[in-house]
Amino acid sequence: METDRARLASRGGEDPDRRTASDRDRRSGTPRAEEPVIESRDLSVFYGEEQALQGIDMSIPERRVTALIGPSGCGKSTFLRSINRMNDLIDVARVEGELYFHGKNVYDDDVDPVALRRKIGMVFQKPNPFPKSIFDNVAYGLRVQGKDDDVERKVRTALERAALLDEVEDRLDESGLDLSGGQQQRLCIARAIAPDPEVILMDEPASALDPVATSQIEDLVEELAREYTVVIVTHNMQQAARISDKTAVFLTGGYLAEFDDTSKIFENPQNQRVEDYITGKFG
Amino acid sequence: MSTETDGSFVDGLEDIERKRLYGRLFVAVCFASTLVGVVALVALLADVLYESWGWVSWEFLTYPPSQAVENFLPGGRGAGIYPALVGSIFLIALTAVFTVFLGVGAAIYLEEYAAESRLKSFVEANIANLAGVPSIVYGLLGLAIFVRWFQLGASLIAGALTLTLLILPIVIVSSQEALRAVPDSQRQAAYGVGATKWQVIRDVVLPRALPGIMTGTILSLSRAIGETAPILMVGASTSLFVAPDGLTSPFSAMPMTIFEWATLPEAEFQHIAAAGIVVLLTILLLMNATAILIRNRYDPRS
Ligand SMILES: Nc1ncnc2c1ncn2[C@@H]1O[C@H](COP(=O)(O)OP(=O)(O)OP(=O)(O)O)[C@@H](O)[C@H]1O
Ligand SMILES: [Mg+2]
């Protein structure tokens, strides 16, 4: 079973044994009851008249990596943005159905999207640091959320978790824009985790990066899943196979074709079109 | 031109040569157009400097005007542009305060808060149209509203409010453009860590747009400082002997005084008018230089 995933992984030119034993233990070790932390029910999103998501049902487990894959334009980013209500910022976007976070529908009238986003952090496709110092970039979330006691320590912890501290330790007051693309993306991850959210959404966080920076981000994602629930959009199937526990395959038109354990999706997909997509017959 | 002689791409070379000739002609025409502008500007500056040579002095900057030429001369009692200089500076300072609040406020509202609607498009189209209205019309408006209706009289504040109306449309439009140029990814980054709309605007959007807003505002103000028609309409004096000392005091401004001197019969007054122009141009150039400095220094992208 595991060999198949390893084979898939090695296709991407990565060392299949890169994962540590403890990593495996966390996944295949004693199964604990998986409480879904995020659950969508019949979730549809419209842009004007155009329907981008068709009644999605999905349960995202806590402290696991859930990958969203599928061809371009199938609605992966749309689904991701509907989790922390970033779709609210798009004038023409409209959401129907329910999305539960800890059992509470985030589209209820009494939910403040700002409060929601303080629990559900986000990392974007292109690194988007502020034109501020490295320190101030990471501290920004803490400051807007009023968690600005002991900022120094929190910033260092976040940089450490984002595997960036060693590289920037002695230049925290330099501009975040002076970092390399990969470093900028890790800076954005540090910024997202500094205020200690529960969930981290990532929209193709490595697609603008070179292979070395990509594998650093991948390691980081696996590491983050010890403490956070991670939902990651990726175009790269090997990446999904390598780092995720659950995989959701979207297909053109905004349909969720299959959602299951990553090993199942890649070894024994139930849906013919998912199989075609995964084996590269289209997409 | 080419040393290649074989291959099918050699055909049609003449055509390329001809197109290239058109290209060179076009460059020549564009260069000539640039030259006209530059030469005209240099000629103007040279003429004004030549005319005013020896007439700009410390006394010229610090004394009130006079009808007698000898007062302007060295050893005379001293005469100059002082009240108009102070009047212009006060006028511009007041106008700057009003336009920054009103212009930037309106731009932020339109760009960040107002929902897309017919009304918004209508308002925006009209603001753009207002930018093209002749300045004398604003003068009439200022006379009717500020001088008569608000009963401010021919005062400094009436003049400043009138100039504010004049440049407000340009300041709004240029500030909106500066706000629009802030990349969405920056806003999303801030929203993504749980910032409120106000926090996003204060911490991310405004700092990023500020150099653009400042540049647009300063350039508009330097247009306002040279305006004559609108302040003439609200009743600025051509020759005033004391500088304004309050918001409601009567005032003069440099373009008015320069115009007054230029109409006097004595030939020396042409030189004195030129000296006034040099002072006005110096202030203008300083303002524009500040705008460029701000654009280059405080651009957060650099
Ligand atoms: N802001 C928007 N306004 C209108 N339509 C949009 C908007 N964003 C996305 N769409 C449409 O919604 C559909 C899904 O887009 P989405 O960005 O979610 O796809 P995606 O799976 O993330 O694609 P990609 O892999 O290319 O990023 C597309 O048809 C797209 O054209
Ligand atoms: Mg996308």
Side-chain angles (χ1 to χ4, degrees):
Chain A
M1 282 265 141
E2 194 67 21
T3 51
D4 241 72
R5 278 182 80 187
R7 187 177 50 77
L8 268 164
S10 62
R11 272 215 311 239
E14 294 290 334
D15 176 4
D17 293 329
R18 195 169 47 77
R19 287 235 227 96
T20 59
S22 63
D23 252 352
R24 269 169 230 248
D25 285 346
R26 181 168 60 78
R27 271 157 233 273
S28 51
T30 44
R32 66 179 165 186
E34 288 192 348
E35 272 296 303
V37 60
I38 294 164
E39 211 175 345
S40 76
R41 253 185 247 149
D42 200 20
L43 185 83
S44 297
V45 178
F46 301 80
Y47 293 110
E49 297 298 302
E50 213 66 48
Q51 186 164 1
L53 281 181
Q54 318 272 350
I56 305 299
D57 292 298
M58 200 191 292
S59 299
I60 294 173
E62 198 168 12
R63 293 184 204 205
R64 291 281 184 274
V65 178
T66 300
L68 312 179
I69 63 173
S72 185
C74 65
K76 307 180 291 292
S77 300
T78 301
F79 182 75
L80 201 69
R81 285 198 301 265
S82 67
I83 296 175
N84 66 344
R85 290 189 57 176
M86 285 295 269
N87 280 331
D88 289 16
L89 305 177
I90 301 171
D91 276 344
V92 293
R94 183 164 56 81
V95 176
E96 278 177 13
E98 288 122 53
L99 193 132
Y100 294 96
F101 175 54
H102 287 303
K104 171 78 182 165
N105 183 5
V106 304
Y107 288 96
D108 279 350
D109 287 339
D110 59 347
V111 172
D112 182 347
V114 171
L116 179 70
R117 290 179 204 131
R118 293 179 176 187
K119 298 256 185 234
I120 305 181
M122 193 162 199
V123 176
F124 300 84
Q125 179 165 7
K126 267 172 73 189
N128 54 359
F130 300 121
K132 300 174 190 272
S133 71
I134 293 170
F135 185 92
D136 286 339
N137 260 286
V138 182
Y140 185 71
L142 297 166
R143 290 190 174 133
V144 293
Q145 299 192 17
K147 296 179 177 170
D148 44 4
D149 55 303
D150 211 2
V151 178
E152 191 93 16
R153 187 185 54 79
K154 288 174 181 168
V155 167
R156 292 179 73 88
T157 310
L159 283 168
E160 174 119 57
R161 279 190 194 155
L164 187 61
L165 189 62
D166 292 343
E167 289 156 70
V168 301
E169 192 151 26
D170 38 61
R171 47 176 179 147
L172 290 177
D173 52 353
E174 281 176 29
S175 170
L177 297 178
D178 291 343
L179 298 174
S180 74
Q183 289 173 327
Q184 285 190 12
Q185 195 60 302
R186 278 178 281 148
L187 179 64
C188 293
I189 293 173
R191 181 176 62 191
I193 60 182
D196 211 25
E198 287 179 42
V199 180
I200 300 169
L201 310 177
M202 299 181 155
D203 196 347
E204 302 188 45
S207 68
L209 305 178
D210 65 58
V212 174
T214 299
S215 89
Q216 281 173 326
I217 300 281
E218 287 181 9
D219 289 346
L220 186 53
V221 168
E222 300 198 60
E223 197 56 43
L224 288 175
R226 292 174 190 279
E227 290 185 60
Y228 304 99
T229 302
V230 179
V231 187
I232 182 170
V233 172
T234 173
H235 254 128
N236 180 328
M237 272 173 285
Q238 286 80 42
Q239 187 174 71
R242 274 196 300 269
I243 65 177
S244 71
D245 305 283
K246 291 264 187 183
T247 296
V249 186
F250 287 80
L251 289 176
T252 308
Y255 298 92
L256 176 60
E258 201 164 339
F259 174 63
D260 215 327
D261 289 344
T262 297
S263 50
K264 261 206 190 128
I265 295 275
F266 281 92
E267 285 152 21
N268 187 19
Q270 302 300 303
N271 183 313
Q272 183 58 41
R273 298 187 60 204
V274 170
E275 183 167 358
D276 289 348
Y277 177 69
I278 283 169
T279 52
K281 286 207 180 107
F282 76 96
Chain B
M1 294 210 78
S2 169
T3 54
E4 311 268 358
T5 50
D6 54 358
S8 59
F9 58 86
V10 172
D11 307 337
L13 219 57
E14 273 167 44
D15 186 47
I16 293 177
E17 271 312 309
R18 202 167 56 237
K19 297 255 160 69
R20 220 171 251 154
L21 185 66
Y22 291 153
R24 282 202 205 96
L25 271 174
F26 184 68
V27 172
V29 170
C30 292
F31 181 71
S33 317
T34 315
L35 217 55
V36 171
V38 173
V39 167
L41 188 69
V42 169
L44 189 92
L45 283 177
D47 182 56
V48 171
L49 281 177
Y50 177 75
E51 290 279 329
S52 66
W53 201 252
W55 291 88
V56 184
S57 60
W58 183 245
E59 282 73 30
F60 187 72
L61 294 178
T62 52
Y63 278 85
S66 163
Q67 299 283 347
V69 171
E70 56 278 13
N71 286 338
F72 286 93
L73 292 168
R77 275 201 325 210
I81 200 166
Y82 178 70
L85 178 60
V86 175
S88 276
I89 289 173
F90 280 7
L91 202 57
I92 273 328
L94 273 177
T95 308
V97 172
F98 295 146
T99 36
V100 165
F101 279 101
L102 296 176
V104 178
I108 290 176
Y109 179 75
L110 287 172
E111 208 47 51
E112 305 291 329
Y113 287 99
E116 290 303 325
S117 67
R118 286 237 186 94
L119 181 65
K120 186 192 163 197
S121 317
F122 179 76
V123 169
E124 283 183 332
N126 278 291
I127 289 173
N129 285 337
L130 283 177
V133 171
S135 56
I136 188 106
V137 178
Y138 286 100
L140 281 167
L141 201 67
L143 180 65
I145 298 178
F146 303 124
V147 178
R148 302 244 169 89
W149 191 24
F150 288 3
Q151 303 200 331
L152 293 170
S155 61
L156 192 61
I157 190 163
L161 287 169
T162 306
L163 288 182
T164 302
L165 283 189
L166 171 73
I167 62 173
L168 205 50
I170 309 172
V171 172
I172 293 176
V173 170
S174 66
S175 301
Q176 271 187 284
E177 260 154 34
L179 292 169
R180 215 172 297 148
V182 177
D184 254 352
S185 63
Q186 290 283 308
R187 297 169 209 260
Q188 286 174 356
Y191 280 119
V193 289
T196 61
K197 184 155 195 167
W198 160 239
Q199 287 171 326
V200 174
I201 292 175
R202 185 193 62 192
D203 303 334
V204 176
V205 178
L206 275 184
R208 189 101 182 194
L210 209 56
I213 291 175
M214 297 271 278
T215 313
T217 307
I218 294 175
L219 291 180
S220 310
L221 286 171
S222 64
R223 179 188 162 199
I225 202 173
E227 278 290 344
T228 323
I231 53 169
L232 184 80
M233 292 302 300
V234 296
S237 316
T238 47
S239 50
L240 200 69
F241 295 93
V242 287
D245 59 358
L247 291 180
T248 51
S249 57
F251 71 105
S252 183
M254 286 193 282
M256 306 281 308
T257 305
I258 293 167
F259 177 70
E260 160 83 353
W261 284 333
T263 56
L264 293 176
E266 291 95 330
E268 286 86 351
F269 271 110
Q270 298 315 308
H271 297 297
I272 295 167
I277 292 174
V278 167
V279 176
L280 181 58
L281 280 181
T282 307
I283 291 183
L284 264 174
L285 290 180
L286 282 177
M287 288 174 74
N288 290 4
T290 313
I292 292 169
L293 214 71
I294 288 173
R295 191 164 50 198
N296 293 346
R297 272 280 298 283
Y298 297 99
D299 195 332
R301 275 155 295 181
S302 62

